[in-house]
Amino acid sequence: TTYTLARNADVILSCLADDAAVRAIYDGPDGVIANAQAGALIIEMSTVRPETSRWLYQAGKERGIDVLDVAISGSTPAAEQGTLTLLGGGDREVFDSAAPIFRAIAAQWFHMGPSGSGTTMKLVVNALFGVGMQAIAEAAAFGEKAGLHRDRMLEVLAQTKVVAPAHVGKIAQARADDYAPQFPLRHMNKDFRLILE
């Protein structure tokens, strides 16, 4: 149960789908905050509202529990290759002390500022990523309609400086007609709702 796990852990990492899931796990008498030991470290890695990150930080602080919001940038292939980027908010000293944990799961990590800064930076990253993917789709549709050979156009586009490295793999998938999701559309929709809020 959450109660038993929280009580016996020095470090708790979570990566959940949304704000409601974070609150469900951490809040209330059976939640992690009520049952974690003083001195524990929570590294919450979900893409949620910065306000949720700040709420969790404050709730932890009241119980003597350190909390970091450390959002993950990178999809399944990046996780498999160990090339994730972590974007952190919270106390700098606590963030720095967690470097051995970060080293085990990511290629790079950045402290962005106080609580909520990690999740805010993740929304900035996802805004650029989503807009970039939309721009590539629009430009490719234009090129194909104007007579360019689809496969050649995508091959060359992936080698230009205007395409971000994160998009290169997506273009390779499109060339292979592989549209299997690596980041479900519902999550991108959620992130853009958070950005607009």
Side-chain angles (χ1 to χ4, degrees), residues 43-73:
I43 302 174
E44 213 305 298
M45 307 180 90
S46 308
T47 303
V48 294
R49 288 176 180 84
E51 293 81 8
T52 299
S53 297
R54 289 190 284 271
W55 162 80
L56 185 58
Y57 172 86
Q58 188 60 40
K61 187 174 184 176
E62 290 170 7
R63 299 237 327 119
I65 300 165
D66 290 319
V67 178
L68 297 171
D69 55 288
V70 182
I72 302 168
S73 181

Side-chain angles (χ1 to χ4, degrees), residues 150 169-182:
R150 179 181 178 275
K170 305 293 185 196
I171 290 174
Q173 280 185 272
R175 286 183 64 207
D177 289 324
D178 175 5
Y179 298 101
Q182 294 174 347

Side-chain angles (χ1 to χ4, degrees), residues 2 20 36 45 55 83 93 104 109 133 143 164 175-176 195:
T2 303
M45 307 180 90
W55 162 80
T83 59
E93 301 78 27
W109 48 94
M133 283 304 301
R175 286 183 64 207
I195 290 163

Side-chain angles (χ1 to χ4, degrees), residues 120-143:
T120 300
M121 185 62 188
K122 173 64 183 292
L123 294 175
V124 169
V125 168
N126 279 9
L128 288 172
F129 184 74
V131 168
M133 283 304 301
Q134 181 65 32
I136 289 168
E138 298 283 340
F142 159 73

